Amino acid sequence: MLECGPEEAGGRVDLWTSERTGLSRTRVQRLIADGWVHVDGATPMKSDPVEPGSRIEVLVPAPQPVEAVPEDIPLQVIHEDHDLLVVDKVAGMVVHPAPGHPRGTLVNALLHHVEDLSGIGGRLRPGIVHRLDRDTSGLLVVAKTDEAHHALSDALRRRRVKRLYLAAVWGHLPESPLDVDAPIGRSRTNRKRMAVVAEGRHALTRLRVRERWESAELLDVALGTGRTHQIRVHAAHLGHPVVGDDLYGPGWERGMSGPDQGWARELARRTPRQFLHATRLAFKHPTTKVEMRFHSPLPDDLERVAEWARQVRSP
């Protein structure tokens, strides 16, 4: 535990911590982003000033060696050619190895399936152009060559890759369609969560009601940007969290009253995971320039939930 003296106050917390600990500023910034630095018990932003008397706690996690190795894991490949693959990821699969998830990831499966992947993503993320959360199912494009990786990443930045999701959210939106334009950054109180914060990165999500259920709705969701947990954070920010989302909307159904409460609790009981599926993906092929369009219907676990919700009404 470090304490800031009066003569040290006023500087940025990342620079101050770097000078006091001997860690590089980049390392300290990463520790702050991951929630390992606390100022008076709260997680700071890297640019926050250090006040006189502040107590700064710096935790440095032990290094965990992680290596991406080929594994014979089944993959649902929707399309494959010389430049890329389109994969329909199952729920529960992490996209790339990381501490806590060294094996069983999409990258491990890809390394077994493909002789050589684009190296631009680094040794733990070869070929990965964009990601899906572990419990989100659906379509992903993976680059097999560096040229394809550059082109697809550039198209993603220019918003020329169209991604459409199906999401069930609690309650009913005030209007449809509805654009959510709210910046997203790391939560100051929980390093595992993202949040709408003024200093966050620009994030745009477009919502449209596809089906209106008793106490929830099935939405078409289009991404204008691609921030971490974007759909889940924006839905929760609106007060309509994704059904089954244990991070951003746990126990939402318990707050309901009246005849809808029983319906909502039964929907929650029937939903095995967060109700979020990447259903459509469209982009221009990086080599042929042909427009590529792919569709993945709701997987069986979520389709069963939707069928129940369509048919059952509150008593």
Side-chain angles (χ1 to χ4, degrees):
M1 183 73 72
L2 306 173
E3 186 169 340
C4 177
E7 71 284 355
E8 301 175 295
R12 289 168 53 115
V13 67
D14 58 349
L15 182 58
W16 186 94
T17 304
S18 174
E19 291 174 348
R20 285 291 298 269
T21 62
L23 298 170
S24 72
R25 190 173 177 181
T26 300
R27 175 69 167 139
V28 169
Q29 288 177 346
R30 173 51 56 191
L31 291 173
I32 292 173
D34 289 343
W36 294 104
V37 177
H38 299 92
V39 177
D40 296 328
T43 303
M45 300 298 293
K46 63 184 180 181
S47 59
D48 285 352
V50 181
E51 304 294 340
S54 288
R55 294 172 64 83
I56 295 88
E57 181 183 27
V58 183
L59 303 175
V60 181
Q64 299 183 14
V66 178
E67 182 183 2
V69 296
E71 292 184 77
D72 188 2
I73 301 170
L75 276 180
Q76 188 172 355
V77 178
I78 305 301
H79 170 86
E80 182 174 5
D81 58 41
H82 174 268
D83 300 290
L84 57 87
L85 303 93
V86 175
V87 177
D88 199 344
K89 186 185 85 68
V90 297
M93 175 180 275
V94 175
V95 169
H96 57 77
H101 298 284
R103 300 287 186 271
T105 73
L106 178 66
V107 163
N108 296 117
L110 287 168
L111 289 172
H112 177 83
H113 179 85
V114 182
E115 255 185 46
D116 191 23
L117 287 172
S118 164
I120 292 175
R123 64 186 183 87
L124 297 183
R125 305 182 187 185
I128 300 301
V129 178
H130 62 114
R131 293 178 291 172
L132 295 177
D133 297 339
R134 179 183 63 186
D135 290 328
T136 299
S137 52
L139 298 171
L140 275 169
V141 60
V142 178
K144 293 172 67 174
T145 68
D146 289 353
E147 293 77 13
H149 204 143
H150 279 300
L152 290 167
S153 296
D154 184 62
L156 201 65
R157 283 191 296 271
R158 295 172 180 268
R159 302 180 190 176
R160 293 174 180 170
V161 177
K162 305 302 181 185
R163 293 171 287 170
L164 186 70
Y165 293 73
L166 289 172
V169 301
W170 289 113
H172 298 125
L173 297 185
E175 59 184 285
S176 175
L178 177 64
D179 284 2
V180 186
D181 191 346
I184 291 177
R186 183 75 58 180
S187 168
R188 296 172 70 105
T189 58
N190 185 340
R191 71 184 185 88
K192 295 182 179 180
R193 290 169 56 104
M194 307 300 288
V196 170
V197 291
E199 64 275 14
R201 300 176 69 189
H202 172 241
L204 174 64
T205 307
R206 295 186 169 93
L207 312 174
R208 182 185 296 273
V209 176
R210 173 184 283 250
E211 297 178 16
R212 184 181 174 92
W213 299 339
E214 196 71 7
S215 300
E217 289 177 330
L218 182 64
L219 307 181
D220 288 324
V221 184
L223 290 179
T225 54
R227 308 303 176 213
T228 301
H229 298 175
Q230 179 173 320
I231 295 172
R232 300 162 64 193
V233 171
H234 274 172
H237 177 67
L238 287 176
H240 300 280
V242 172
V243 174
D245 189 340
D246 291 335
L247 185 59
Y248 296 101
W252 191 94
E253 71 283 356
R254 293 195 294 271
M256 298 190 66
S257 59
D260 287 347
Q261 185 182 68
W263 186 95
R265 289 190 174 188
E266 182 61 18
L267 179 68
R269 188 189 70 80
R270 289 172 174 269
T271 306
R273 59 176 171 99
Q274 62 194 29
F275 198 121
L276 189 57
H277 178 68
T279 185
R280 292 189 183 275
L281 179 66
F283 55 88
K284 185 174 290 187
H285 193 282
T287 300
T288 67
K289 309 305 178 186
V290 172
E291 188 71 18
M292 311 286 286
R293 297 181 183 274
F294 303 95
H295 172 241
S296 169
L298 274 178
D300 290 344
D301 61 343
L302 298 185
E303 182 59 35
R304 286 191 293 268
V305 176
E307 283 296 326
W308 180 89
R310 293 172 187 130
Q311 297 171 14
V312 177
R313 300 293 180 185
S314 298

